[in-house]
Amino acid sequence: MTEELVARALALRQNAYAPYSRFRVGAALLAADGRVFDGCNVENAAYGVSLCAERGALASAVAAGCRDFTALAVASTGPEPCVPCGVCRQALCEFAPNLTVHCVAPDGEFKTFPLHTLLPEAFTLRRE
Ligand code: THU
């Protein structure tokens, strides 16, 4: 499943709308029930309106009634494995503090981190 998720994140970069940064990002979010939700970055002429790929996938999942996630793969056109930005880490933490995050490089190699190591001492209303 991990390889499928990684391949999907790489492919989703093609759908990115990133005319300003030219940095295309794809994200594939795996739900506990096996569904996979897609995201890509969607930029805007008003730069601050831009949406990251990870939060696009998350919003799509929540809109479909899904709130339980196990893994995320995120890939970009940059040379390094793509790590989620701080805002996306916080957004993902709301639903999946123990999420497994695969950070994918363009050649398909990836590094894996538990979300809580990317966002230590996270602010959350959950008590686990
Ligand atoms: N971006 C993402 O989609 N995810 C991240 O975690 C990092 C940044 C997007 C936002 C913007 O469209 C472009 O990458 C450059 O920052």
Side-chain angles (χ1 to χ4, degrees):
M1 189 65 219
T2 298
E3 293 297 336
E4 288 172 36
L5 210 61
V6 164
R8 193 148 162 168
L10 285 164
L12 281 161
R13 296 176 303 170
Q14 291 176 2
N15 295 341
Y17 177 72
Y20 304 103
S21 71
R22 307 262 176 216
F23 188 85
R24 302 162 77 87
V25 185
L29 182 61
L30 176 63
D33 64 7
R35 283 185 287 173
V36 178
F37 294 91
D38 296 339
C40 62
N41 54 332
V42 182
E43 297 186 347
N44 191 276
Y47 296 170
V49 177
S50 298
L51 179 68
C52 290
E54 299 92 319
R55 278 177 292 136
L58 182 64
S60 173
V62 174
C66 189
R67 297 178 181 176
D68 191 5
F69 309 108
T70 58
L72 169 83
V74 55
S76 79
T77 46
E80 303 293 332
C82 188
V83 292
C85 78
V87 170
C88 288
R89 294 177 197 200
Q90 180 69 30
L92 292 162
C93 185
E94 179 74 14
F95 297 96
N98 296 316
L99 189 71
T100 296
V101 181
H102 305 297
C103 303
V104 186
D107 65 1
E109 293 294 308
F110 60 91
K111 296 179 180 177
T112 301
F113 304 95
L115 180 59
H116 62 82
T117 68
L118 298 175
L119 190 67
E121 303 297 333
F123 177 80
T124 173
L125 296 181
R126 290 194 177 196
R127 297 286 177 265
E128 297 191 334

